[in-house]
């Protein structure tokens, strides 16, 4: 499932950035429609159309047999939810993960949205999960190791008593959606693969309000929390650089929509 690490040239990184930006813009299009009553399949249709209108191809559709453009995971669903007839309702949270391929390179990014008014503790889960993503990115630089990223994420969210999902991890990406190294959201400082210029990583904390344990639903895709408490997921694609990671994906367009 994981192709070997491929080191990228600056030109290849530019192409990944183009795909990642398109994913960010796609998620912003989807964000415009998120409100009580909309079905997750309606969101998926808009995303697929937008990606194709921009000269790209959905990255997840058909990947391992996944049927749709978006993975849409509501409340206790962690990741890999299949769009369908479910209508979002006030107080839900919805994690939307999107991939696109353009010029042979993948972009892959995810954001968790609040639908209407959500409970304060759930709002905090979203904020802190997003914070943990940036804590991980801060240490994703030349000379550090994979374990430094996981440690930074885990250290932040466990201080609030949250559960860090172990069964699913971030990854390298490029011409393949999943390349080595795996990027766990937990770990020990100074351990694991050394980070080097030319690596492109998708960092994607999946953080649960309760237990870290998850189970797979009978549909063969959807992962949900074992205790059915809510879960959040944020994902950026980054290029490893000296001193400071280059973030290739963006939440800028999404947050323009939701903070309006
Ligand atoms: Mg993703
Ligand atoms: Mg990913």
């Amino acid at each position: 499932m994981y192709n070997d690490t491929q080191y990228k040239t600056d030109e290849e990184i530019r192409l990944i950035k183009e795909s990642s930006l398109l994913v960010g813009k796609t998620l912003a299009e989807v964000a415009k429609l998120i409100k009580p009553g909309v079905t997750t399949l309606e969101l998926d249709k808009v995303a697929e159309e937008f990606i194709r209108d921009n000269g790209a191809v959905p990255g997840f559709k058909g990947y391992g047999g996944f049927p749709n453009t978006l993975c849409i995971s509501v409340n206790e669903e962690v990741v890999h939810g299949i769009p369908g007839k479910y209508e979002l309702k006030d107080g839900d949270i919805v994690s939307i993960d999107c991939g696109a391929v353009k010029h042979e390179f993948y972009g892959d990014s995810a954001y968790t949205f609040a639908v209407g008014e959500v409970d304060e503790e759930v709002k905090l889960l979203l904020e802190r999960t997003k914070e943990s993503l940036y804590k991980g990115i801060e240490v994703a630089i030349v000379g550090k190791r994979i374990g430094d990223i996981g440690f930074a994420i885990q250290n932040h969210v466990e201080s609030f008593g949250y559960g860090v999902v172990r069964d699913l991890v971030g990854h390298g990406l490029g011409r393949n959606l999943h390349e080595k190294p795996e990027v766990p959201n937990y770990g020990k400082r100074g351990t694991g693969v050394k980070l080097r210029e030319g690596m492109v990583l998708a960092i994607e904390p999946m953080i649960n309000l309760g237990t870290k344990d998850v189970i797979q639903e009978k549909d063969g895709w959807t992962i949900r929390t074992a205790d059915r408490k809510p879960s959040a997921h944020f994902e950026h694609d980054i290029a490893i650089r000296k001193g400071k990671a280059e973030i290739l994906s963006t939440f800028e367009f999404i947050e323009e929509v939701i903070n309006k």
Side-chain angles (χ1 to χ4, degrees):
M1 172 157 190
Y2 283 75
N3 297 71
D4 284 341
T5 303
Q6 316 271 334
Y7 292 92
K8 281 89 186 175
T9 63
D10 280 351
E11 173 58 13
E12 289 171 331
I13 290 171
R14 198 187 61 74
L15 294 175
I16 297 170
K17 186 170 186 171
E18 202 179 321
S19 298
S20 301
L21 279 178
L22 175 57
V23 169
K25 289 178 180 170
T26 304
L27 288 170
E29 289 303 305
V30 170
K32 290 176 187 169
L33 303 171
I34 292 179
K35 57 173 183 288
V38 72
T39 69
T40 55
L41 192 59
E42 288 173 288
L43 301 179
D44 186 75
K45 286 215 166 77
V46 165
E48 177 166 4
E49 236 178 71
F50 188 79
I51 289 169
R52 294 194 191 280
D53 284 350
N54 282 277
V57 174
F60 301 162
K61 200 169 189 174
Y63 185 87
F66 189 77
N68 293 84
T69 294
L70 300 176
C71 292
I72 305 186
S73 310
V74 181
N75 298 330
E76 72 267 25
E77 295 172 355
V78 180
V79 286
H80 301 170
I82 301 173
K85 286 180 293 192
Y86 180 80
E87 287 180 15
L88 295 179
K89 60 179 198 306
D90 193 51
D92 281 347
I93 57 168
V94 58
S95 303
I96 304 190
D97 195 348
C98 180
V101 193
K102 197 172 179 181
H103 307 305
E104 293 178 34
F105 285 90
Y106 280 87
D108 178 16
S109 180
Y111 199 93
T112 303
F113 299 87
V115 184
E117 276 309 305
V118 305
D119 288 348
E120 187 60 24
E121 64 169 358
V122 178
K123 211 179 280 176
L124 287 171
L125 173 70
L126 301 188
E127 276 177 33
R128 291 159 173 174
T129 300
K130 191 169 75 171
E131 282 165 14
S132 77
L133 169 59
Y134 289 104
K135 300 259 180 205
I137 292 171
E138 245 170 64
V139 294
I141 54 175
V142 172
K144 294 279 188 183
R145 292 175 182 269
I146 285 292
D148 291 303
I149 300 174
F151 176 83
I153 294 168
Q154 179 180 22
N155 189 49
H156 186 62
V157 298
E158 284 188 351
S159 71
F160 304 109
Y162 300 151
V164 177
V165 174
R166 302 295 202 275
D167 305 52
L168 298 124
V169 296
H171 49 92
L173 95 160
R175 287 182 197 275
N176 309 286
L177 179 57
H178 296 117
E179 297 177 358
K180 288 177 187 164
E182 295 191 15
V183 187
N185 298 301
Y186 56 93
K188 287 198 174 72
R189 274 187 280 198
T191 65
V193 174
K194 228 176 181 172
L195 304 180
R196 289 170 49 189
E197 194 100 32
M199 280 179 159
V200 174
L201 304 177
I203 302 180
E204 49 178 317
M206 289 156 257
I207 307 300
N208 301 343
L209 186 60
T211 178
K212 64 179 171 29
D213 297 331
V214 298
I215 63 164
Q216 189 171 49
E217 297 281 18
K218 289 194 187 69
D219 62 16
W221 282 104
T222 311
I223 306 291
R224 70 158 170 87
T225 56
D227 59 7
R228 293 193 182 273
K229 288 188 179 173
S231 181
H233 179 212
F234 289 84
E235 177 178 26
H236 267 318
D237 303 330
I238 64 150
I240 299 296
R241 303 291 194 193
K242 290 192 190 86
K244 194 168 191 281
E246 182 183 355
I247 303 178
L248 306 176
S249 47
T250 179
F251 296 154
E252 190 191 330
F253 304 106
I254 296 169
E255 292 181 345
E256 262 172 32
V257 173
I258 63 179
N259 294 329
K260 210 160 57 179

